[in-house]
Amino acid sequence: MGVAGSFPGFAGRPPGPVMDRDEADRALARLGAEHEAIETSLLALQDHAGRRLLEGADLSGVTKEHWAAAEQSITLLWGYFDAYAGALATARKIRAVRRHPSKDDLAALTALLRGDGVTVANPGAVPSAVGPARLSERFTLEELVARMNDLYARSLDVVVAADSVWSALPARIDLLAAELRRTRSLAHSVGVRPGEHPAGDDLEAITQELITLRAQVISDPLAFWLPGPGSAAPGGGRPDTARYDRAARALDDVRREIEAVLAVRQDAEQRLVRLRDVLSRADRTLSEARSARGEVLAKIAASEVPAVSGPPTALQERLATASEYRRHAQWNRLSPLLDSLEREAEEELLRARDSLTSVTAPLAVRAELRGRLDAYRAKVARHGLAEDPFLIERYDAARRMLWSAPCDLRVAEQAVLRYQQAAADLLAPHRTGGYDGQGETP
């Protein structure tokens, strides 16, 4: 900001022997340079943007207290500077009287430049229990510079810290508030409103937090200042952005929630179509299972056939509700409903397929027995034993059982096993003999 951290130090020696002309001239030159540096720093502090903002702000809290003390320090600073400038002017007048100063001139210069002859009024003096108030104080020029350095550093610290907070936080809060307004508008368009959706409540809470935070930052910026550890420089530290950061993270979470709802709006129709297809397939599979169960009960005897559940009417009703949500743009309600419906619809289709498999299991067993019976008959025929009366009898018995309704699977299986055993007994000599005359070895 163009404001120095402290004034230059006073380089003179303590009171002692009277200075000669060269020492006095060098001391005056140093004092003149100090005067210019001090004046530049004070004017820069006077023109500092942070100081002007503090003067015009409606302050509260720790900032109000610290700025009141800083204003007193700045007023006192100018008083000290005037005393310092007056001492320098007096010293210059004494030196300007003669080209070669007299002993009295040099003694006066020594007393002024090294002694405690600078008197400054004490505007903050108050009586104490140990005595009356001191209405003025006496300083050496070195002590005066040290006192100004201390007051300047404390005043500048308040100004720089407040200005840093005001430069950092309000602008960021305003940007976040603008993003919040856009998010609220988007949330409203997809049905995310306070009292109807948790994200809507979160947006309302973030809005109130940003309003409160901005007002507190403007009125009490020093409450949001973290001094730097071990830093002695004025303004050493950084703005405390913890509350702002929490609000920004909360808004990010809400924005992701809104984006998820928007994704639902974009593909809701496709997801509803897929849901209808899955539930339709589950319904058709259950219908097929019910028809198969009737067939099994008619064709298979002494078999435990599991019952088949009805169509998934509850899921159909919820699917109709989902369609209503889409029709009325209630995306926040549609999103979780679609998620659960998709999961349950797939589960319903798997249950329907399992039911069909369980119901048709007896028919599959009968088909396997028929296939096994025909396979053995073909094998017997290859060995020229198809006309064997005993095998024909056993085959016909098994076939009648498998092709009659209702079919007793347990009895039919025993008949097939008897045919297999009879065929194995007749084929045994052929296997022992090796070649059967038909070009095959069984």
Side-chain angles (χ1 to χ4, degrees), residues 157 225-233 235-238:
D157 188 63
W225 181 251
L226 297 175
S231 175
R238 62 178 179 84

Side-chain angles (χ1 to χ4, degrees), residues 66-391:
H66 288 199
W67 175 238
E71 280 189 306
Q72 292 180 355
S73 296
I74 292 172
T75 300
L76 192 57
L77 263 172
W78 281 106
Y80 286 165
F81 177 72
D82 289 342
Y84 183 88
L88 175 61
T90 300
R92 282 174 172 170
K93 286 181 181 179
I94 294 173
R95 180 64 186 86
V97 172
R98 300 175 182 85
R99 180 178 179 184
H100 297 283
S102 65
K103 290 183 179 181
D104 292 339
D105 293 339
L106 291 174
L109 285 172
T110 301
L112 185 59
L113 299 180
R114 292 181 177 175
D116 61 350
V118 182
T119 302
V120 180
N122 185 8
V126 293
S128 67
V130 297
R134 296 177 61 187
L135 300 180
S136 64
E137 295 179 273
R138 296 176 64 84
F139 298 95
T140 65
L141 289 179
E142 182 178 4
E143 292 170 342
L144 193 58
V145 170
R147 179 68 63 89
M148 284 193 289
N149 270 329
D150 179 63
L151 293 174
Y152 177 81
R154 283 187 280 146
S155 302
L156 183 62
D157 188 63
V158 173
V159 170
V160 171
D163 186 55
S164 297
V165 172
W166 279 333
S167 298
L169 274 175
R172 295 172 69 180
I173 293 171
D174 290 343
L175 288 174
L176 190 61
E179 180 63 27
L180 175 63
R181 287 191 294 272
R182 289 191 291 270
T183 303
R184 283 169 62 95
S185 177
L186 186 60
H188 190 273
S189 70
V190 295
V192 176
R193 300 179 178 87
E196 299 180 10
H197 192 280
D201 297 334
D202 292 341
L203 284 174
E204 189 68 21
I206 296 170
T207 300
Q208 294 304 317
E209 168 64 4
L210 289 184
I211 292 173
T212 303
L213 179 60
R214 193 181 194 284
Q216 291 176 350
V217 167
I218 295 300
S219 67
D220 192 8
L222 295 185
F224 298 87
W225 181 251
L226 297 175
S231 175
R238 62 178 179 84
D240 182 2
T241 62
R243 286 176 60 184
Y244 167 85
D245 293 337
R246 284 195 298 270
R249 287 194 297 270
L251 183 58
D252 284 339
D253 292 340
V254 172
R255 188 162 43 238
R256 284 192 290 271
E257 180 89 11
I258 302 303
E259 289 171 354
V261 175
L262 280 173
V264 172
R265 182 173 70 174
Q266 292 170 355
D267 61 5
E269 183 56 32
Q270 293 180 356
R271 293 175 70 181
L272 286 170
V273 169
R274 286 196 297 269
L275 271 171
R276 293 189 188 100
D277 178 63
V278 171
L279 290 179
S280 178
R281 281 187 285 158
D283 192 15
R284 291 196 301 270
T285 302
L286 287 175
S287 297
E288 186 178 350
R290 284 190 291 272
S291 299
R293 187 173 188 274
E295 181 182 355
V296 169
L297 292 175
K299 295 181 177 181
I300 307 297
S303 177
E304 295 294 333
V305 184
V308 180
S309 62
T313 54
L315 289 180
Q316 292 288 357
E317 292 174 356
R318 293 174 63 197
L319 180 60
T321 301
S323 298
E324 284 297 313
Y325 285 162
R326 180 186 178 278
R327 188 173 300 111
H328 295 94
Q330 294 177 306
W331 310 112
N332 58 304
R333 295 184 177 181
L334 178 60
S335 177
L337 181 56
L338 282 178
D339 290 340
S340 61
L341 275 175
E342 287 170 339
R343 182 179 61 256
E344 294 174 27
E346 290 294 338
E347 293 172 354
E348 182 64 28
L349 181 57
L350 289 176
R351 282 194 295 270
R353 289 171 175 170
D354 290 343
S355 181
L356 178 59
T357 300
S358 299
V359 166
T360 57
L363 294 178
V365 171
R366 187 184 68 171
E368 190 273 331
L369 291 174
R370 286 178 174 181
R372 197 195 312 173
L373 181 65
D374 287 342
Y376 264 87
R377 186 187 184 196
K379 184 176 182 179
V380 167
R382 287 199 303 273
H383 289 280
L385 299 175
E387 301 303 325
D388 184 88
F390 184 66
L391 289 180

